[in-house]
Amino acid sequence: MEQYIIKGGHPLVGEVEIGGAKNAALAILAAAIMTDDTVLIDNIPDVNDVNVLLDAITGIGAKVHRVDRHTVKINGSGIRNFDVEYDYIKKIRASYYLLGALLGKYKRAEVALPGGCNIGSRPIDQHLKGFRALGADVDIEHGKVVAEAENLAGRHVYFDVVTVGATINVMMAATMADGITIMENVAKEPHVVDVANFLNSMGANIRGAGTDVIKIRGVHRLHGTEYSVIPDQIEAGTFMFAAAATKGDVTVLNVIPKHLEATIAKLTEIGCEVEEFDDAVRVVSKGDLTSTHVKTLPYPGFPTDMQPQIGVTLALCRGTSTITESIFENRFKYLDELARMGANIKVEGNSATIEGVDKFSGARVSAPDLRAGAALCIAGLATDGITIVDDIIYILRGYERFDEKLRGIGALMEQVSTEKEIQKFTLKVS
């Protein structure tokens, strides 16, 4: 079992380069099969979720060529199989984007019900509602979503809740429907905008992405393109909170500061100095940090994917902080692990009350999901002792070279898999 072992107590100092946005890349890679021409996509992160999706795309007949670690060419002209196997879908939730892509292009798709991190209920009812509104027959058979239509026709779609996945999935299907589709109460996240921009670069006609209403005039075919994925705002925010928790001074490079406004606002509230540049943000943490209150909300609110990272930081802030999780009900599972490191936290329903402590103590903890795992690594970096984080497979799903990037700004940590390696690291840092 792969683990991270961390010797804390060292402020993180330096520069770290942020990779492409995982959540944008996954949807864009799925959308790339909607043309018979070759598509080149760069700035994709080399993480497990991306690699699994590329395997799934290959599995249905598309040609996938990895030009290099962060660049891929995809040609979907050879797709003859519209059935995405369970082995792929159970590993990553974003494989469901192949539903919208296949339905839009071929008017048929069969995709197993999605898996992914266990952070709470994430129903796909809004996806199915949107597909049905466009004229598709949609059934769930033997654990699969089966969607087909003779033709898709533009319609008015109103989402009952704001949902990123359904916004992107239905947008892809509507891209090749006849007529005009109007989608209301849509998600406004940066990766929704990025997917719309990518589709437009292939000849789609999508307007309004990033607002409450998206209008799509369907086209009959899409063409090849070259496209670069936006930077990952969640990876950037993770390193920004790592700087705050360790009393560090870190500059994150290759970011879009506009996408980080909610994160920057909270860092400023707790007492960090934040300096913005054209494509970089510097976070300096000096002295005692103070408490604040956080509620996760759809973009442009504070992102649920940053909640564990700020939770760890608030546990080291003076005073009483509260976190209200309004997106996923299981997002607090990391707090039990954090309590083992000395945090003082009480959870009631979807709210957590955090009394700040002076420091954490090293412990052996387990990553319950992707973002929680990264947050527990931040906690380990903020201790004076040694922390072992188990189940880092979750972290590897969404962060590329996570330990290497942290070592580049002063972290003492390594990826290990045996007791002998743990002992060797402990001797080296003691």
Side-chain angles (χ1 to χ4, degrees), residues 40-53:
L40 184 143
I41 306 164
D42 67 12
N43 201 37
I44 60 170
D46 185 15
V47 295
N48 287 2
D49 276 17
V50 164
N51 296 327
V52 169
L53 183 61

Side-chain angles (χ1 to χ4, degrees), residues 37-38 54 78 119 144 164 168 181 208 212 222 225 238 245 248 251-252 295 336 340 347 412 415:
D37 299 339
T38 297
L54 288 173
I119 55 174
K144 289 183 179 179
V164 172
I168 291 174
T181 299
D212 292 319
L222 298 172
T225 189
T238 299
T251 301
V252 293
K295 182 177 182 179
D336 288 338
R340 299 179 64 235
V347 177
L412 295 178
Q415 183 175 333

Side-chain angles (χ1 to χ4, degrees), residues 15-220:
E15 297 179 341
V16 60
E17 187 162 349
I18 302 305
K22 174 185 78 85
N23 290 332
L26 292 169
I28 286 170
L29 291 170
I33 68 170
M34 295 181 69
T35 174
D36 284 343
D37 299 339
T38 297
V39 173
L40 184 143
I41 306 164
D42 67 12
N43 201 37
I44 60 170
D46 185 15
V47 295
N48 287 2
D49 276 17
V50 164
N51 296 327
V52 169
L53 183 61
L54 288 173
D55 286 343
I57 290 171
T58 301
I60 58 174
K63 290 182 180 179
V64 175
H65 171 59
R66 293 296 289 263
V67 178
D68 58 41
R69 190 170 184 173
H70 301 117
T71 309
V72 66
K73 286 184 178 180
I74 296 175
N75 185 293
S77 62
I79 293 174
R80 300 292 181 267
N81 176 18
F82 312 127
D83 184 355
V84 181
E85 293 294 330
Y86 174 71
D87 283 348
Y88 296 118
I89 202 80
K90 71 179 181 181
K91 295 177 183 176
I92 60 165
R93 185 170 179 82
S95 294
Y96 64 23
Y97 287 135
L98 292 172
L99 269 171
L102 290 170
L103 183 62
K105 183 180 180 184
Y106 297 105
K107 309 304 182 276
R108 178 170 178 81
E110 294 184 26
V111 178
L113 288 167
C117 282
N118 181 22
I119 55 174
S121 175
R122 294 189 284 182
I124 62 167
D125 59 310
Q126 298 300 300
H127 304 239
L128 309 188
K129 172 184 176 178
F131 296 149
R132 287 175 178 137
L134 298 177
D137 292 323
V138 184
D139 294 300
I140 296 177
E141 301 173 358
H142 311 295
K144 289 183 179 179
V145 178
V146 180
E148 55 187 332
E150 286 190 18
N151 289 294
L152 297 177
R155 291 288 188 274
H156 182 274
V157 181
Y158 182 88
F159 293 107
D160 300 318
V161 293
V162 176
T163 157
V164 172
T167 297
I168 291 174
N169 232 345
V170 178
M171 180 171 69
M172 287 196 288
T175 292
M176 301 185 77
D178 294 332
I180 296 174
T181 299
I182 298 175
M183 298 164 52
E184 291 195 67
N185 198 32
V186 295
K188 297 182 281 190
E189 270 73 0
H191 48 289
V192 172
V193 179
D194 208 32
V195 177
N197 288 341
F198 171 71
L199 288 165
N200 283 340
S201 77
M202 291 201 297
N205 187 343
I206 302 170
R207 299 291 179 266
T211 73
D212 292 319
V213 180
I214 295 176
K215 296 181 180 180
I216 304 164
R217 185 181 295 274
V219 298
H220 293 299

